[in-house]
């Protein structure tokens, strides 16, 4: 979380950094700031609580060829001007993404020596540490500083009178951009889209020195190392809203392409995946948030198609549960960004225990792909909205295909799904249901089996973008507790895409209606439609294979969340307190 960017070259550093921050804002938007080394060698800093755009009027007078910037998702210290990055100490100024776990003891030691701190952040100790080790050389100062640090960092440091940016990385990601007479460093690829020809990723422990004409990379002992260059394929067109008012809507409309492209991409890795999974007798799926919800569906696919036992865990829990794994265990690690700290660490743990790691990710050059035994690509394309939409449907598609491949089975059903998703996006009118949600005190999503997994995602999405309290639960559980919450101010949304289970879920809707609760049904079963259409809001979707129905029901629940947020005047692309790419624990 948080985005950092550095620029050095012939252009205006403040403008270049600001542009990078605009592109990285999806990673955090509590506050933003930037620092530029001016023509006199002195560093000027501007920072503000709030959105990146607040910096625009503050940089008009800033001149200089070296700059670093930060858009924050606060971990330590509330969002305010003082806690915004950059942080300075003496001649040194830094921006930091990550968490310094031993900051309290480092800070106490500085305070004992009479140092003053100007923020409540963990990051300010980094500025103090680099400054303490600084005697004219920013690279050695940075290398010495990070030696005493525990935690995660993508760290950029500049110092007065030096035309260079020093960068250090541990756990949080950093990419370097090789331009023509200008160079860049950033948290993530979208910041550099269209800006330079080649990029490379730093590895943990790396330190880099970036000047206008050169990028040098070293290990933690400052021995030179080489990192593989790759073409900078990120395109700035991906940042285009294409006429949509929000990225969330644009990305929802891209669900059909996400499913289609993920299918095509899968065939390139199918052989490699089958080989990697040869002899595997147990699967563990890990992910966080929406990726975890995709994992719940993945479990059903592997267990039904291949009869292999599967466990699904949230990555942050799995890591600390002393899990049992052998070389016959495959761990599927799902992360849109491939940088989710808990998921990356869970994958590392699995590898250290001899398990095979399969990355399911939308980011082909992420940390997760670099450590995985094999990568099953999610070809959703860049997802800018903080709330995941098309990456979720891409993950479901990837898991479905992986399970089929593992089982040695084939089906043509999936090929129909991009078209069906498109039809649902065009034909299904969710406005009435969104109005009901917007006027409610709580929305409960219920379903059985696969529908329950989508219910969890529908609920999470609604919470994320509309801030309405919501819960997803198995339809049969209603009478064991949640029924107590049902009244005329709540909406219960039942998903019914499995004919064999519909009757059971119908009972739950009856129970809601008979207690005066408001209800809605989303189904592709005409019998269910006929049963409820006169008594509550019912959305009738096209028929399809039950295992693939989550692809169309997901689109609908995500669209409801979007529409509800818009009705309530929320910004669905940047929900409060959230950020994309959760790179801290
Ligand atoms: N821990 C730092 C802070 O709270 C950086 C947060 C981040 O990486 O988003 O300022």
């Amino acid at each position: 979380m948080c985005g950092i960017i550095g620029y050095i070259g012939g252009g205006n550093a403040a403008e270049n950094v600001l542009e990078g921050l605009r592109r990285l804002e999806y990673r955090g938007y509590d506050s933003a700031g930037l620092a530029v080394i001016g023509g006199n060698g002195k560093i000027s800093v501007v920072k503000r609580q709030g959105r990146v755009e607040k910096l625009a009027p503050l940089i008009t007078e800033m001149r200089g060829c070296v700059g670093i910037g930060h858009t924050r998702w606060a971990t330590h210290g509330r969002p305010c001007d003082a806690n915004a990055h950059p942080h300075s100490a003496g001649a040194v100024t830094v921006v930091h993404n990550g968490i310094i776990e031993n900051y309290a003891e480092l800070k106490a030691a500085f305070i004992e020596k009479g140092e003053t701190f100007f923020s409540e952040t963990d990051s300010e100790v980094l500025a103090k540490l680099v400054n303490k080790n600084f005697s004219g050389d920013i690279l050695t100062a940075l290398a010495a500083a990070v030696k005493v640090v525990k935690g995660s960092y993508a760290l950029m440091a500049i110092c007065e009178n030096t035309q260079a940016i020093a960068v250090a990385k541990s756990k949080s990601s950093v990419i370097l951009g090789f331009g023509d007479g200008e160079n860049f460093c950033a948290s993530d690829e979208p910041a550099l889209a269209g800006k330079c020809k080649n990029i490379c990723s730093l590895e943990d422990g790396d330190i880099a020195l970036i000047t206008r004409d050169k990028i040098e990379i070293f290990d933690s002992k400052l021995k030179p190392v080489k990192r593989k260059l790759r073409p900078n394929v990120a395109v700035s067109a991906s940042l285009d809203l294409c006429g949509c008012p929000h990225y969330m809507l644009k990305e929802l409309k891209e669900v059909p392409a996400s499913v289609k492209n993920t299918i095509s991409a899968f065939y390139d890795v199918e052989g490699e995946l089958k080989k990697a999974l040869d002899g595997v007798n147990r699967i563990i799926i890990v992910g966080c948030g929406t990726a975890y919800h995709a994992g719940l569906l993945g479990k059903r696919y592997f267990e039904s198609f291949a009869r292999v036992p599967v466990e699904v865990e949230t990555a942050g829990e799995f890591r600390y549960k002393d899990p049992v794994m052998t070389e016959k265990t495959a761990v599927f690690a799902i992360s849109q960004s491939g940088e989710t700290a808990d998921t990356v660490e869970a994958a590392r743990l699995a590898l250290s225990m001899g398990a095979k790691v399969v990355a399911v990710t939308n980011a082909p050059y992420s940390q997760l792909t670099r450590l995985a035994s094999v990568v099953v690509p999610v070809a959703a394309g860049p997802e800018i909205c903080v709330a995941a939409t098309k990456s979720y449907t891409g993950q479901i598609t990837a898991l479905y295909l992986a399970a089929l491949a593992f089982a040695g089975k084939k089906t043509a059903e999936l090929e129909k799904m991009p078209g069906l998703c498109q039809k649902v996006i065009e034909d299904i009118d969710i406005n009435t249901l969104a109005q009901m949600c917007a006027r409610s005190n709580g929305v409960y999503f219920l379903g059985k089996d696969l529908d329950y997994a989508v219910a969890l995602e529908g609920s999470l999405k609604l919470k994320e973008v509309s801030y309405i309290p919501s819960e997803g639960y198995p339809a049969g559980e209603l009478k064991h507790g949640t029924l107590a919450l049902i009244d005329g101010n709540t909406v219960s949304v039942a998903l019914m895409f499995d004919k064999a289970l519909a009757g059971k879920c119908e009972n739950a809707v009856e129970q809601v209606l008979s207690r005066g609760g408001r209800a809605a049904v989303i189904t592709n079963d005409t019998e269910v439609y006929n049963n409820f259409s006169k008594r509550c809001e019912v959305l009738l979707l096209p028929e399809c294979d039950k295992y693939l129905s989550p692809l169309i029901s997901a689109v609908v629940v995500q669209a409801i969340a979007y529409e509800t947020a818009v009705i309530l005047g929320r910004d669905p692309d940047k929900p409060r307190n959230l950020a994309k790419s959760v790179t801290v624990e």
Side-chain angles (χ1 to χ4, degrees):
M1 323 185 75
C2 116
I4 59 175
I5 166 104
Y7 170 85
I8 180 162
N12 180 313
E15 281 168 12
N16 274 284
V17 168
L18 184 63
E19 187 185 347
L21 291 179
R22 286 188 181 112
R23 294 164 174 223
L24 287 172
E25 200 175 20
Y26 65 89
R27 295 173 65 102
Y29 32 84
D30 292 339
S31 45
L34 60 82
V36 166
I37 306 179
N40 58 0
K42 299 275 172 249
I43 296 175
S44 330
V45 174
V46 290
K47 49 188 195 174
R48 286 289 181 276
Q49 182 188 350
R51 298 283 168 92
V52 166
E53 221 35 59
K54 281 197 175 170
L55 299 179
L58 307 178
I59 66 154
T60 49
E61 304 292 309
M62 281 175 113
R63 300 280 174 272
C65 301
V66 188
I68 54 175
H70 187 275
T71 174
R72 181 170 186 238
W73 184 85
T75 67
H76 292 61
R78 74 214 139 86
C80 63
D81 290 356
N83 288 341
H85 298 219
H87 296 289
S88 304
V92 173
T93 295
V94 304
V95 290
H96 165 232
N97 163 215
I99 291 178
I100 304 307
E101 285 167 7
N102 58 340
Y103 89 99
E105 70 193 64
L106 294 167
K107 187 168 176 174
F110 276 114
I111 289 173
E112 204 163 297
K113 290 205 173 97
E115 293 268 356
T116 308
F117 280 76
F118 301 96
S119 78
E120 303 151 342
T121 65
D122 52 336
S123 310
E124 194 178 354
V125 296
L126 294 169
K128 298 277 191 213
L129 282 171
V130 181
N131 184 51
K132 182 180 150 198
N133 288 287
F134 183 67
S135 53
D137 178 9
I138 188 70
L139 183 73
T140 50
L142 184 64
V146 295
K147 276 204 174 77
V148 299
V149 160
K150 290 195 192 111
S152 57
Y153 51 84
L155 175 61
M156 295 174 191
I158 54 174
C159 66
E160 289 181 352
N161 300 312
T162 304
Q163 297 287 302
I165 304 170
V167 185
K169 179 231 184 286
S170 182
K171 298 187 184 152
S172 307
S173 75
V174 176
I175 57 162
L176 306 181
F178 297 71
D180 194 6
E182 55 184 8
N183 287 313
F184 303 82
C185 42
S187 302
D188 211 349
E189 292 183 27
L192 304 190
K195 289 282 167 192
C196 54
K197 217 161 144 210
N198 291 310
I199 55 177
C200 79
S201 301
L202 289 186
E203 298 293 339
D204 280 349
D206 285 355
I207 315 255
L209 187 69
I210 307 174
T211 56
R212 187 170 161 171
D213 304 310
K214 205 162 53 172
I215 295 185
E216 296 168 284
I217 308 174
F218 308 90
D219 67 9
S220 58
K221 299 196 174 77
L222 292 183
K223 203 170 117 250
V225 286
K226 285 216 174 323
R227 297 293 170 227
K228 215 169 145 202
L229 282 195
R230 57 180 190 272
N232 182 18
V233 287
V235 278
S236 38
S238 60
L239 299 167
D240 189 347
L241 276 163
C242 299
C244 293
H246 300 102
Y247 285 113
M248 187 170 180
L249 181 61
K250 177 189 175 225
E251 289 163 5
L252 262 167
K253 289 183 176 178
E254 289 168 350
V255 163
S258 168
V259 174
K260 193 163 174 239
N261 295 340
T262 301
I263 299 172
S264 319
F266 182 76
Y267 296 117
D268 291 338
V269 298
E270 187 174 14
E272 197 191 336
L273 178 71
K274 278 183 168 167
K275 219 159 108 202
L277 296 184
D278 193 31
V280 160
N281 61 15
R282 180 169 159 244
I283 289 173
I284 301 172
I285 305 180
V286 294
C288 302
T290 291
Y292 168 73
H293 295 156
L296 294 173
L297 293 165
K299 172 181 163 76
R300 287 291 280 109
Y301 297 155
F302 276 101
E303 291 189 336
S304 291
F305 304 163
R307 308 306 299 158
V308 59
V310 183
E311 292 140 64
V312 195
E313 296 268 7
T314 54
E317 281 297 300
F318 171 77
R319 289 173 62 189
Y320 299 110
K321 276 186 163 174
D322 195 11
V324 179
M325 287 175 270
T326 70
E327 69 287 355
K328 292 194 169 163
T329 308
V331 173
F332 277 65
I334 313 174
S335 162
Q336 187 282 129
S337 64
E339 302 289 347
T340 313
D342 279 323
T343 310
V344 171
E345 292 310 315
R348 259 194 249 280
L349 173 70
L351 280 180
S352 74
M353 294 180 71
K356 296 187 176 79
V357 169
V358 182
V360 180
T361 179
N362 195 28
Y365 298 103
S366 54
Q367 303 204 66
L368 194 57
T369 57
R370 294 205 297 282
L371 59 82
S373 329
V374 50
V375 178
V376 177
V378 172
E383 192 175 62
I384 306 295
C385 175
V386 167
T389 51
K390 60 177 181 168
S391 64
Y392 173 62
T393 32
Q395 287 161 356
I396 297 171
T397 308
L399 290 165
Y400 179 88
L401 286 163
L404 275 183
F406 184 66
K409 293 182 177 159
K410 291 229 176 291
T411 165
E413 290 299 315
L414 189 55
E415 307 292 334
K416 300 178 195 158
M417 295 315 293
L420 285 186
C421 290
Q422 185 68 40
K423 209 171 145 44
V424 166
I425 291 165
E426 282 165 11
D427 296 352
I428 303 297
D429 183 354
I430 44 94
N431 188 264
T432 305
L433 186 38
Q435 295 283 358
M436 284 166 68
C437 292
R439 287 196 300 270
S440 75
N441 292 342
V443 179
Y444 304 104
F445 286 86
L446 52 149
K448 289 189 86 68
D449 189 25
L450 301 154
D451 293 332
Y452 165 53
V454 181
L456 289 175
E457 173 59 12
S459 165
L460 175 65
K461 207 58 48 191
L462 190 77
K463 273 185 275 208
E464 284 181 301
V465 299
S466 76
Y467 320 146
I468 293 173
S470 176
E471 218 182 303
Y473 58 91
E477 283 292 293
L478 177 70
K479 54 195 177 293
H480 296 288
T482 317
L483 203 49
L485 297 176
I486 302 301
D487 63 18
N489 296 317
T490 62
V491 178
S492 296
V493 182
L495 304 175
M496 294 187 224
F497 288 84
D498 184 336
K499 279 193 190 315
L501 300 176
K504 307 287 174 201
C505 197
E506 281 177 307
N507 290 344
V509 180
E510 299 290 2
Q511 288 156 21
V512 169
L513 290 172
S514 45
R515 278 154 188 89
R518 307 192 77 199
V521 172
I522 308 175
T523 185
N524 60 357
D525 183 334
T526 40
E527 273 180 44
V528 174
Y529 177 84
N530 292 335
N531 182 12
F532 288 108
S533 63
K534 294 207 171 58
R535 296 188 290 148
C536 65
E537 177 69 4
V538 186
L539 303 181
L540 184 65
L541 274 56
E543 282 200 22
C544 68
D545 176 69
K546 82 164 183 187
Y547 290 106
L548 291 168
S549 63
L551 291 174
I552 51 172
S553 55
V555 171
V556 172
V557 293
Q558 291 175 342
I560 291 166
Y562 170 75
E563 192 79 8
T564 307
V566 171
I567 292 167
L568 292 172
R570 318 281 192 225
D571 176 355
D573 288 342
K574 293 193 176 72
R576 69 181 180 205
N577 302 338
L578 300 182
K580 212 165 178 75
S581 285
V582 185
T583 60
V584 293
E585 284 180 41

